[in-house]
Amino acid sequence: MTTTRTARAFHLSTRPTGFPTPGLFTLTESPVPDPAPGQALVENLYLSVDPYHREEMDGGWELGAPLEGRALGRVTASRDPGLAEGDLVFHRQGWRTHALVTAGTHGTRRLPSYEGVPLTAHLSILGGTGLTAYAALTHTLELRPGQDLFVSAAAGGVGTAVGRIARLLGAGRIIGSAGSAAKVTRLTEELGFDAAFDYHDGPVADLLAKAAPDGIDAAVDNVGGAHLEGVIAAMRDFGRIAWVGAIAQYHSAHTPPPAPRNLFDVVGKSLRLEGVLVRNHLDAQGELDELLVPHLRSGRIAPDVTVVDGFERTVDGFLGMLRGENTGKMLIRTGA
């Protein structure tokens, strides 16, 4: 039986202009639904709030309807033969306390029980965040031992996962950018980065050149804009860039920043610049689990997460993530 008979969900009521505000969201309540044949009722335990949600606010999300987002929950009632009561489930009906799901549709899947692995790992380093990092490093960059790597927004969810996984893959020097001195310190003292800088301290190209005077072989860029320009400048010949996100323009969709001024250096240096969408690499989930689960169990690595307690604080956590208040993946613990 579910622990409560009231379901709550956040809806988007108005499109944002610039940085989002709490008033754009509406919290709704309704009776907890009963599963129909082929469905299971999931009570959510953790919700993921992600940078791409900012883009969804501009048109991807329907107004006045429950929002989309990665979530982790427990089956409380089931009429789906693929899901049993008590199963731990990953699905994409976040921003709500309860969801009706069907195994195998819209990314819904029963999660394995990995003894000794924190639940938060399934929405961070073992989830879409970690899979993005793994795909960028292994499939896009084909990172080889000893190669030097730069990671932008390195203290965020994807950035910390990239650092963890790159170290396991035998990367050479790993350099990161972050948005505060405290995050820079954490990158170098706790997360295994060899060098890091606060991008507020000057032009990114200059800061990266100082941190990597001999250049870099590969980069995972989560920012775009000046960061991408700096990456191109720092690249050695035949370098590779995995472009994951464009945080620099999420709040200025109608006036995007100009393209990097040195974009033609991609040709001059014979670079490869490729976009990364995690949905194109879902078949690599088994590879990721095989690599990481032993290290999560041993304690060699841990999920890098910032957890906000309380479903009612979901919007607070989302806006805090956009302001860079998290280190690692920002998650909401619903209180279920």
Side-chain angles (χ1 to χ4, degrees):
M1 295 291 292
T2 184
T3 58
T4 176
R5 298 309 301 171
T6 300
R8 294 181 292 166
F10 280 99
H11 294 185
L12 183 66
S13 54
T14 309
R15 303 285 178 203
T17 300
F19 196 91
T21 60
L24 302 175
F25 298 88
T26 302
L27 179 60
T28 67
E29 293 188 351
S30 62
V32 172
D34 293 318
Q39 292 182 327
L41 175 65
V42 172
E43 189 163 10
N44 288 329
L45 303 173
Y46 288 93
L47 309 176
S48 175
V49 287
D50 296 289
Y52 81 88
H53 289 168
R54 174 60 187 85
E55 294 180 285
E56 293 297 303
M57 295 181 74
D58 289 327
W61 282 341
E62 183 180 346
L63 294 178
L67 307 179
E68 180 273 345
R70 300 177 181 121
L72 178 72
R74 189 79 66 180
V75 175
T76 59
S78 181
R79 300 179 69 186
D80 179 349
L83 295 171
E85 188 171 331
D87 280 350
L88 189 67
V89 174
F90 169 88
H91 62 93
R92 302 194 68 91
Q93 295 187 53
W95 293 79
R96 68 199 84 181
T97 57
H98 299 77
L100 291 173
V101 304
T102 299
T105 63
H106 307 295
T108 301
R109 58 189 175 93
R110 183 172 61 85
L111 291 172
S113 178
Y114 291 134
E115 185 177 353
V117 174
L119 288 182
T120 55
H122 292 290
L123 282 180
S124 55
I125 199 162
L126 289 181
T129 298
L131 189 57
T132 298
Y134 179 79
L137 289 168
T138 62
H139 293 218
T140 305
L141 298 181
E142 300 176 341
L143 187 73
R144 295 184 292 276
Q147 292 187 324
D148 297 329
L149 173 73
F150 172 68
V151 188
S152 64
V158 172
T160 53
V162 168
R164 298 279 197 188
I165 295 171
R167 188 58 72 204
L168 292 177
L169 296 174
R173 294 188 75 237
I174 305 177
I175 303 107
S177 70
S180 71
K183 289 183 176 182
V184 167
T185 298
R186 183 151 193 260
L187 288 176
T188 56
E189 295 187 359
E190 299 180 33
L191 296 176
F193 282 71
D194 297 284
F197 59 84
D198 182 344
Y199 63 83
H200 295 106
D201 289 344
V204 173
D206 295 346
L207 296 168
L208 180 52
K210 182 178 179 180
D214 297 324
I216 54 176
D217 300 295
V220 177
D221 183 25
N222 296 290
V223 180
H227 271 79
L228 182 56
E229 184 171 306
V231 164
I232 293 171
M235 275 283 156
R236 298 168 183 154
D237 288 355
F238 304 103
R240 288 99 60 219
I241 305 167
W243 196 4
V244 173
I247 297 171
Q249 66 183 66
Y250 282 168
H251 309 302
S252 57
H254 301 296
T255 55
R261 293 166 295 181
N262 58 350
L263 192 58
F264 193 69
D265 285 351
V266 171
V267 177
K269 294 183 177 183
S270 298
L271 306 180
R272 191 174 80 221
L273 169 62
E274 183 176 337
V276 180
L277 286 174
V278 70
R279 66 171 177 258
N280 296 327
H281 300 279
L282 299 180
D283 57 351
Q285 184 69 53
E287 298 174 26
L288 179 68
D289 289 8
E290 184 177 359
L291 173 67
L292 293 182
V293 168
H295 298 297
L296 286 163
R297 283 175 166 159
S298 70
R300 179 180 178 183
I301 62 174
D304 296 296
V305 296
T306 299
V307 178
V308 172
D309 276 310
F311 176 76
E312 67 281 357
R313 297 186 62 206
T314 300
V315 173
D316 295 336
F318 172 58
L319 299 181
M321 178 274 301
L322 292 179
R323 287 190 292 263
E325 295 173 1
N326 57 302
T327 298
K329 185 76 197 68
M330 180 70 92
L331 299 178
I332 311 300
R333 182 161 41 213
T334 66

